[in-house]
Amino acid sequence: MKDESSRGEWSSKIGFVLAAAGSAIGLGSIWRFPYIAGQSGGAAFVAVYLVLVFSIGISLMMAEIVIGKKGKLNAVGSFGKLGGRRWSLVGWGGVVAAFVILSYYGVIGGWTIAYIFKSFFGLMEVTGAGEVARVFEDFISSGTQMVFFQCLFMGATVFVVFRGVSGGIERLCTFCMPALFVLMLLLIGRSVTLPGAMEGVAFFLKPDFSKVTGEVFLSALGQAFFSLSLGIGAMIIYGSYLPEDSDIPKSSLQICLLTFLISLMAGLIIFPSLFAFGMEPGAGAGLTFITLPVVFSRMPGGVLWSALFFVLFFFAALTSSVSLLEVAVSYLIDSLGWARRRATIFLGCLITLVGIPSALSQGAVRINVFGLSFLDAADFFASNLIMPIVGFLISVFLGWVVPSVAEEGITNEGARPFRGKKVWLFILRFVAPICILVIFVAGLKW
Ligand code: PHE
């Protein structure tokens, strides 16, 4: 890695895939996916999510990476360079979404840190599902704890982004992802062998298509964008650090597969145990944090398993939050000429402040927006509104406005032919914009 204040480049191909997968896999797969699936009808939602990830999701991922690789700047700069000033507004939409998401992402990220400590101090002694839920309720209604752990998490994020692209982000991902994977496999083993677990497996994997509504589609679309880190320009930035000879379609497929796999695994840990303990799948944002401790407490050496899991979960969240912060930071660096350190600290502090209402909205203070808690409202605004809109514009941009950039970018100027190019362009031109529009109109409660 060169001078920290300048743009970086990935030191290896696998480094890029791991970092992009690190951005994708985080709270989205392990916290958000199970609870949204639980609220949206289980397996039917999972089926819609699967289809969206491997059609629109993967196509938009390739699109973002291509824009970054060709633009060689952050989202605002890349759009401006390739499409003129008006299009740089799309990049702006992304920066706003990243800002909003990180403001509450820091709050949930803080929960992972708190649960590392709680594993050692009493969490494993409360074995009943009801008691674990009460521990969680007490925790989230304590404003001081919420803000304290939020600040810790944001501090860690700032620290990593501070150290630059391949120094901090890349090294972190190489180690944590494989460890998390193995531990989750183990947890699935524990969860599905609990008495009564099969009912949960069925809820999660046996779709009842009568449950599919416009709202389920919109939630699945929002989840696809959120979990794949799309629609805010994160992949544009990661793509801008990509060396010339990269295989974008292959990397994108790997990232989507990994993200889907981890989401599936999270569901296979959470739903079987949920049903085994007679808990509610629609319990909302606390689902992962209420269910998992119950599972750990049924394992020999539960304290250690629990602590280890939340450590890895924390790192998974961290590799995502750094990419969120990077979206905003790189804008200040590239477009306004700020030094990395100054940009990182300034934005880190600002976003933490903006996140405080979300932190308090979980029980300490009632802050409701349109009947949702502040945190849920921020999440809905960013994931179900801005991300799909930016995604729509990205596909229109590459598919219709600068198709030559798409063709050159995906084939490395013709050096690496891509057999699926026609299908990809067709999706960008027609399928993605039309589907996003239809889902949008059908899913919003007017
Ligand atoms: N994909 C991340 C997660 O699932 C969140 C994220 C969204 C990160 C958008 C970057 C950009 O946790």
Side-chain angles (χ1 to χ4, degrees), residues 23-29 101 105 225-230 232 234 320 323-324 387:
S23 162
I25 297 165
L27 296 176
S29 304
I101 293 177
Y105 206 93
F225 275 97
F226 190 97
S227 63
L228 296 174
S229 302
L230 297 175
I232 68 164
S320 304
S323 69
L324 285 162
M387 285 177 147

Side-chain angles (χ1 to χ4, degrees), residues 67-266:
I67 293 176
K69 186 158 166 287
K70 297 294 286 180
K72 282 265 170 285
L73 286 170
N74 62 66
V76 179
S78 292
F79 265 109
K81 190 150 129 194
L82 301 173
R85 279 242 342 249
R86 238 186 318 150
W87 279 99
S88 63
L89 276 179
V90 180
W92 262 103
V95 174
V96 171
F99 195 98
V100 174
I101 293 177
L102 187 53
S103 75
Y104 65 84
Y105 206 93
V107 177
I108 315 291
W111 296 2
T112 64
I113 303 183
Y115 268 66
I116 300 172
F117 293 110
K118 285 187 192 296
S119 304
F120 290 106
F121 299 109
L123 188 61
M124 290 301 111
E125 277 114 63
V126 287
T127 43
E131 284 171 272
V132 178
R134 210 164 319 119
V135 169
F136 178 74
E137 295 296 331
D138 286 346
F139 168 57
I140 59 168
S141 44
S142 154
T144 346
Q145 288 195 55
M146 287 286 100
V147 175
F148 175 73
F149 286 108
Q150 179 207 2
C151 291
L152 275 189
F153 185 84
M154 290 301 295
T157 306
V158 165
F159 178 76
V160 178
V161 174
F162 217 81
R163 305 191 35 182
V165 179
S166 74
I169 303 179
E170 205 177 326
R171 216 172 302 150
L172 200 62
C173 301
T174 327
F175 158 77
C176 292
M177 290 294 141
L180 182 66
F181 187 82
V182 174
L183 183 58
M184 287 180 74
L185 275 182
L186 242 139
L187 289 173
I188 294 178
R190 171 66 278 199
S191 186
V192 296
T193 51
L194 289 165
M198 281 310 133
E199 215 184 309
V201 176
F203 174 82
F204 183 58
L205 293 181
K206 225 169 117 210
D208 167 3
F209 286 108
S210 66
K211 288 187 184 156
V212 176
T213 60
E215 268 175 68
V216 167
F217 258 99
L218 184 61
S219 313
L221 186 70
Q223 177 60 21
F225 275 97
F226 190 97
S227 63
L228 296 174
S229 302
L230 297 175
I232 68 164
M235 291 297 162
I236 295 187
I237 294 182
Y238 279 18
S240 75
Y241 300 131
L242 211 55
E244 247 345 281
D245 64 336
S246 353
D247 189 342
I248 297 175
K250 188 166 147 211
S251 303
S252 305
L253 180 63
Q254 286 166 337
I255 300 163
C256 290
L257 277 173
L258 280 173
T259 308
F260 183 73
L261 190 66
I262 294 282
S263 304
L264 203 65
M265 287 167 69

